[in-house]
Every structure is written in C-alpha cells, then in structure tokens.
Amino acid sequence: EELLKKDLWTAERAVLRLTKVPLEDNQFDALVSFCFNLGSGAYQRSTLRARINRGDFDEVPTELKKWVYAGNRIIKGLLRRRIAEAIMFMS
C-alpha cells in the first residue's frame, strides 16, 4: 500500500509540475491516472500535454486514445483505460 501511495504521489506531482493551466478535479484525476500508467515522461513529451496547456480541452479524448498501442497493436485493456480517462476528463 505504501508503494502505491508513493507512485500515486509521483504521478500527482508530475501533473502539477507539467500542467500550466487550471484543472477541475476530474481533469486532474484523469491525468494522474494517465501518468500513473505511462509515467510522467510520456506526459511531458506528449501532444496531450501541449493541447491541455493551450486550453484545447476538447482535443483531450482524441489525444488519450493515441496511447492504446503496444507492439504496434491496440491493446483492449489500454483502450478501455484511455476511454475511461477521457470520460473522466470531460465529465
């Protein structure tokens, strides 16, 4: 449980450090989920972060759905996770 808390705190700090616009709680939570799953480096280098920092929130679901591949194929579990994050972000 302590390892989970530490990893979660790391993801939260990354979102706070890398996101330059105010976020609603649901938006923050969706991005923390993304960073927890993929790491802060992926978020830092992503078009997702660039769009968010420009305030292009309507583009977030499209950007999230780009992160569903492993070995050049769509992974159903990643697709489900990204859809859930997109719904959370936009709610």
Side-chain angles (χ1 to χ4, degrees):
E1 191 172 312
E2 288 302 314
L3 288 174
L4 176 62
K5 286 180 184 179
K6 182 182 175 194
D7 288 347
L8 186 57
W9 175 239
T10 300
E12 289 173 345
R13 283 194 337 249
V15 172
L16 290 170
R17 179 174 50 86
L18 296 168
T19 307
K20 305 302 180 194
V21 295
L23 297 171
E24 300 291 330
D25 288 344
N26 57 302
Q27 295 168 327
F28 177 78
D29 293 346
L31 295 177
V32 168
S33 174
F34 179 86
C35 286
F36 182 86
N37 184 238
L38 291 166
S40 61
Y43 180 59
Q44 183 175 8
R45 295 183 300 274
S46 71
T47 305
L48 168 66
R49 182 177 75 100
R51 293 202 185 273
I52 288 168
N53 283 335
R54 283 196 306 256
D56 295 337
F57 291 162
D58 289 341
E59 298 296 321
V60 169
T62 301
E63 292 300 322
L64 283 170
K65 290 176 188 168
K66 292 178 181 178
W67 295 86
V68 298
Y69 295 91
N72 291 326
R73 62 186 186 101
I74 294 175
I75 304 299
K76 289 181 184 180
L78 290 176
L79 179 59
R80 284 192 298 271
R81 185 179 186 120
R82 299 291 97 81
I83 290 169
E85 290 165 350
I87 291 168
M88 183 186 306
F89 189 91
M90 299 305 287
S91 65

